[in-house]
Amino acid sequence: MNQTDRANRRSSLFAWALALPMPIWQTLFFVAALLFLVVMSFWSVQNFRVTPDFTFDNWIKIYSAGYFRVTYVRTVLYALLAATLASLIAFPCAYGLAFKASPLMRRIVVASLIMPYFTSYLVRANSWKILLTDQGVINSVLGTVGLGPLPMTSNLFAVMIGYLTLILPIVILLQYFSLANVDRRLIEAAHNLRCGRVRTVFQVIIPSARTGLILAATFAFILSFGDFVSPSFLGNNKPPTLTVLMVDAVKSGSQWPRAAVVALTMVATLLLVAFLAMNFAYGEKRKRP
Amino acid sequence: MAEPLLVLDGVVKRYDDHTAVHKIDLEIAAGEFIALMGPSGCGKTTTLRMIAGLEAPSEGEIRLRGRRMNDVAPWERDTPLVWQSLALFPFMSVLKNVEFGLKMRNIPAAERTKKAMPWLERVGIAKYRDRKVDQLSGGERQRVALARALVTEPEILLLDEPLSALDAHLVIRMQAELKQLQQQLGITFCYVTHSQSEAFAMADRVAIMAEGRLQQVGPPREVYRAPANRFVAEFVGANNLLSGKVKSIAQGIVMVETAAGIMRARENPLLALLPSDMVTVVVSADRAVVSDSAADGENSLSGTVIGEQFVGAFVTLHLDLGDGRTFRAQLQQHALEPLGQVRGKRLSLRWKPEHTVLLKDK
């Protein structure tokens, strides 16, 4: 072996050493954890103690329980609603940012969209309580004019507020980035072919930004679907979502194996949703012969 | 003459920091093929965009069939444009692209296809109707862009350097096809280009622009043979410019004293020249007769051949006149052959006074 070969080998070893920690971390704390979750879903709980076992009991119990099925459908629908609401609310803002705002304005708004993430989402969701509870700011003001109190916590409204707090800034940012990449010349071409302003949004801008818009909505769905903060702190577990169910299973009776079943169901659901969304986002392009 | 189809009446376009178009007056007749030609940054594309309504004139008026267009939105005009970038919709099939203009007029789907298909056939892309546009070659995409613009049967078609992205051999073919198409349809083509060969090959009239101003408007031959000013003379074709001072004028011939000797030029009464006026004598490269006999007296120069551009039947010789200037002479290959190997050789140039054009210097 000559000198250069040795040097090459040393530098490739060095590259490996730098690259390895991440795969190791992922293997230990994600892949291994996931596998452990699968294993644990077949264990049983005896006298409030998790015991290694091989039983389909947990799967049967959870899947035959009416409350699980209702909660599953509810969680999917909530996440869908949150993704739809966020996409609709975000679009005019992202559109304005991409096509109307001055460069300075754009920088200010983008910064202000990143800023919420300086503070933990847990804190932000909790601070909504100051506004929303029966004794909160809004109901106090309403009370002085003889109205209310309006129920704004422990319901769908509260959960949606929480979800939107989590996802809206990121949905706006993702939509903005995809709209900013839309070829302006296509917009002019549409105008030139008698396509008015509003029609151009639907005929040219949305189809051009399609991939990014779908990815933004998918992100919103994934974040909402797995969120525990909003349904528990703002929704007060009423009505519960899958994350609430999962935590409940652990808290009341140490049902770790049943929580594992719920968790695995959620992982499978998200994988399916991500797969479908990718197909939908890139589908048109894949049809190429 | 009937009312022209399109009138630009003192049109000015100013931006914050510069003026792109200074007061343009231009009339475009129905059914004519006009080329707006000039170097990049001359304002030709801005002018075209104002006709399409994508830019608003700062001053002046644009009239289409006598109707003031200044405040008409681009989507309320019938001035389809074929873009330099083509600007085809990548998320639509070829057919959907071509149908787009019809869809915007709310024509039902079945009728749209019925109207679009003959255009696809006409430009020879019918077999690609269901393909995505990024699966087509440059030439095919060009045809989609043409069909998309023509499908609504406009009176005027605007073209912004549509051939600039194509291979040279395709450009020649598309030029012939475009000209033929324009004649068959009998509609107005307003064609922006920086290429003289493109403009001259197709246009009935060319409008030459520089620095936001119209320099000369006329049929290609007229512009070529009688350039109106130095800019046009230098921009079109291979003209040689000799500066000098008027010495005398007699019997339709102007004697001009230049650095290279006395030149006799055909008088242009419109210039109303007086002795000692500063003028430029323009000698077209194809008007100079090249020989290896010595230069003799007036309208004659000699120079050393420093370059030779051979394009098939034609050759352009670059001759160094000895004072740093070069003279271009164009001749047929067969006329050059008797002279043998010419590079480095000293040759003489000769031309007739009636083959010159005189320009008055400002």
Side-chain angles (χ1 to χ4, degrees):
Chain A
M1 194 191 292
N2 63 34
Q3 206 116 33
T4 26
D5 274 346
R6 218 171 293 146
N8 279 343
R9 208 162 139 221
R10 206 179 309 133
S11 82
S12 109
L13 271 176
F14 186 63
W16 272 109
L18 278 179
L20 263 178
M22 196 55 215
I24 291 174
W25 177 279
Q26 283 286 51
T27 313
L28 276 179
F29 297 107
F30 183 72
V31 178
L34 195 64
L35 288 176
F36 180 62
L37 214 56
V38 174
V39 171
M40 196 166 67
S41 72
F42 297 101
W43 289 1
S44 59
V45 176
Q46 280 149 20
N47 295 328
F48 299 104
R49 288 176 68 174
V50 182
T51 317
D53 199 347
F54 186 74
T55 167
F56 288 94
D57 230 31
N58 305 307
W59 289 92
I60 293 162
K61 276 264 160 53
I62 290 288
Y63 275 81
S64 59
Y67 70 90
F68 170 76
R69 281 188 241 152
V70 170
T71 308
Y72 181 81
V73 172
R74 180 190 299 124
T75 312
V76 170
L77 290 180
Y78 275 23
L80 265 179
L81 181 63
T84 311
L85 277 178
S87 293
L88 292 179
I89 297 169
F91 189 79
C93 178
Y95 180 89
L97 263 185
F99 296 107
K100 307 284 173 205
S102 68
L104 175 70
M105 184 68 178
R106 213 174 280 157
R107 231 175 288 171
I108 293 170
V109 175
V110 168
S112 73
L113 287 170
I114 294 170
M115 227 141 2
Y117 296 98
F118 289 5
T119 312
S120 161
Y121 165 52
L122 188 66
V123 177
R124 280 182 289 141
N126 253 320
S127 30
W128 270 106
K129 282 187 172 173
I130 301 167
L131 291 169
L132 299 181
T133 53
D134 287 357
Q135 298 79 36
V137 176
I138 294 173
N139 274 322
S140 300
V141 173
L142 285 177
T144 58
V145 293
L147 287 172
L150 291 178
M152 286 185 290
T153 51
S154 313
N155 54 20
L156 174 61
F157 176 77
V159 177
M160 282 301 141
I161 289 283
Y163 284 164
L164 290 178
T165 304
L166 175 66
I167 62 181
L168 200 50
I170 197 127
V171 171
I172 296 175
L173 281 174
L174 288 175
Q175 285 192 350
Y176 159 61
F177 291 136
S178 66
L179 289 176
N181 281 324
V182 171
D183 188 344
R184 309 294 159 114
R185 295 173 300 188
L186 295 184
I187 297 171
E188 285 195 331
H191 288 339
N192 181 248
L193 292 165
R194 291 190 141 246
C195 192
R197 275 214 186 89
V198 177
R199 215 167 174 191
T200 301
V201 172
F202 292 98
Q203 293 289 336
V204 174
I205 295 176
I206 291 178
S208 291
R210 172 197 166 103
T211 304
L213 299 180
I214 293 171
L215 289 183
T218 309
F219 222 72
F221 181 92
I222 291 171
L223 285 175
S224 311
F225 189 75
D227 182 42
F228 173 67
V229 172
S230 180
S232 65
F233 286 78
L234 289 170
N236 292 324
N237 303 344
K238 279 175 279 182
T241 60
L242 287 180
T243 47
V244 171
L245 216 65
M246 199 160 60
V247 173
D248 273 358
V250 174
K251 277 187 183 163
S252 56
S254 295
Q255 273 297 350
W256 289 94
R258 284 186 198 169
V261 171
V262 177
L264 287 171
T265 309
M266 290 181 73
V267 170
T269 306
L270 288 180
L271 281 176
L272 182 69
V273 167
F275 174 77
L276 290 177
M278 290 289 168
N279 251 351
F280 187 42
Y282 294 101
E284 294 277 311
K285 286 175 194 163
R286 253 192 229 164
K287 271 186 220 148
R288 256 180 244 171
Chain B
M1 194 178 134
E3 157 81 9
L5 177 71
L6 183 74
V7 178
L8 304 186
D9 189 355
V11 171
V12 175
K13 180 64 191 179
R14 267 189 296 271
Y15 292 104
D16 292 341
D17 50 343
H18 72 291
T19 305
V21 174
H22 297 268
K23 236 176 159 40
I24 280 197
D25 295 298
L26 185 65
E27 296 189 345
I28 299 173
E32 88 168 313
F33 194 134
I34 187 164
L36 288 180
M37 182 172 106
S40 54
C42 73
K44 56 191 192 298
T45 297
T46 308
T47 305
L48 196 75
R49 288 173 60 85
M50 284 194 282
I51 297 172
L54 298 163
E55 309 272 354
S58 313
E59 264 175 46
E61 201 170 78
I62 295 176
R63 289 190 297 274
L64 188 64
R65 285 222 176 280
R67 179 183 171 210
R68 187 184 146 92
M69 299 301 280
N70 291 42
D71 308 312
V72 179
W75 48 86
E76 283 158 4
R77 301 184 185 211
D78 274 321
T79 48
L81 217 161
V82 179
W83 307 76
Q84 182 168 18
S85 67
L86 301 184
L88 297 172
F89 303 122
F91 44 86
M92 290 182 195
S93 67
V94 168
L95 181 63
K96 287 267 184 290
N97 261 286
V98 175
E99 283 180 354
F100 190 83
L102 300 169
K103 191 175 174 189
M104 292 308 116
R105 277 150 212 260
N106 301 316
I107 292 168
E111 205 179 321
R112 290 205 293 262
T113 310
K114 221 168 84 191
K115 281 195 170 181
M117 281 315 291
W119 282 102
L120 290 181
E121 270 151 32
R122 182 164 205 155
V123 298
I125 46 169
K127 56 178 179 287
Y128 304 133
R129 55 175 279 178
D130 295 321
R131 289 229 194 142
K132 282 279 160 77
V133 288
D134 53 7
Q135 297 168 320
L136 302 182
S137 71
E140 289 157 358
R141 270 202 284 255
Q142 188 66 67
R143 288 153 201 272
V144 180
L146 257 178
R148 184 179 72 170
L150 286 169
V151 73
T152 53
E153 294 168 23
E155 285 179 298
I156 181 165
L157 181 70
L158 310 176
L159 302 103
D160 183 13
E161 310 227 10
L163 306 183
S164 58
L166 298 185
D167 293 341
H169 68 281
L170 255 175
V171 170
I172 305 285
R173 218 173 96 192
M174 286 301 292
Q175 280 175 8
E177 286 184 25
L178 278 175
K179 181 65 192 169
Q180 202 188 2
L181 193 63
Q182 187 262 340
Q183 281 170 338
Q184 285 168 358
L185 298 172
I187 67 170
T188 305
F189 273 33
C190 185
Y191 192 103
V192 159
T193 180
H194 66 270
S195 150
Q196 182 206 321
S197 68
E198 242 171 76
F200 281 17
M202 294 182 283
D204 302 320
R205 282 198 305 157
V206 294
I208 295 171
M209 289 183 74
E211 291 171 345
R213 290 185 174 83
L214 270 183
Q215 303 293 322
Q216 190 173 5
V217 184
R221 278 194 174 72
E222 185 186 303
V223 171
Y224 185 71
R225 279 303 175 211
N229 57 36
R230 274 191 84 108
F231 174 81
V232 178
E234 281 178 324
F235 187 70
V236 300
N239 283 312
N240 296 289
L241 276 64
L242 303 163
S243 303
K245 196 160 82 177
V246 175
K247 214 174 155 216
S248 65
I249 306 162
Q251 288 146 8
I253 298 292
V254 182
M255 307 288 272
V256 181
E257 200 175 350
T258 73
I262 303 286
M263 300 292 158
R264 288 187 303 147
R266 184 170 49 113
E267 188 192 4
N268 179 354
L270 295 175
L271 295 180
L273 289 173
L274 294 169
S276 43
D277 276 347
M278 297 307 291
V279 291
T280 300
V281 182
V282 181
V283 184
S284 178
D286 64 333
R287 290 298 203 186
V289 179
V290 179
S291 71
D292 51 4
S293 56
D296 54 343
E298 293 165 349
N299 280 13
S300 180
L301 289 172
S302 58
T304 312
V305 179
I306 52 169
E308 204 181 349
Q309 270 174 299
F310 172 54
V311 191
F314 280 93
V315 186
T316 305
L317 296 181
H318 294 253
L319 291 99
D320 181 6
L321 297 181
D323 52 3
R325 286 176 310 154
T326 55
F327 193 100
R328 282 177 296 179
Q330 219 168 46
L331 61 164
Q332 293 210 294
Q333 176 63 24
H334 67 75
L336 183 67
E337 271 157 16
L339 302 177
Q341 179 57 256
V342 291
R343 196 178 285 266
K345 220 173 181 174
R346 204 164 169 75
L347 296 175
S348 72
L349 301 150
R350 214 172 270 109
W351 58 90
K352 292 180 179 163
E354 59 265 37
H355 286 160
T356 60
V357 175
L358 261 184
L359 300 172
K360 192 173 177 176
D361 292 353
K362 299 234 161 64

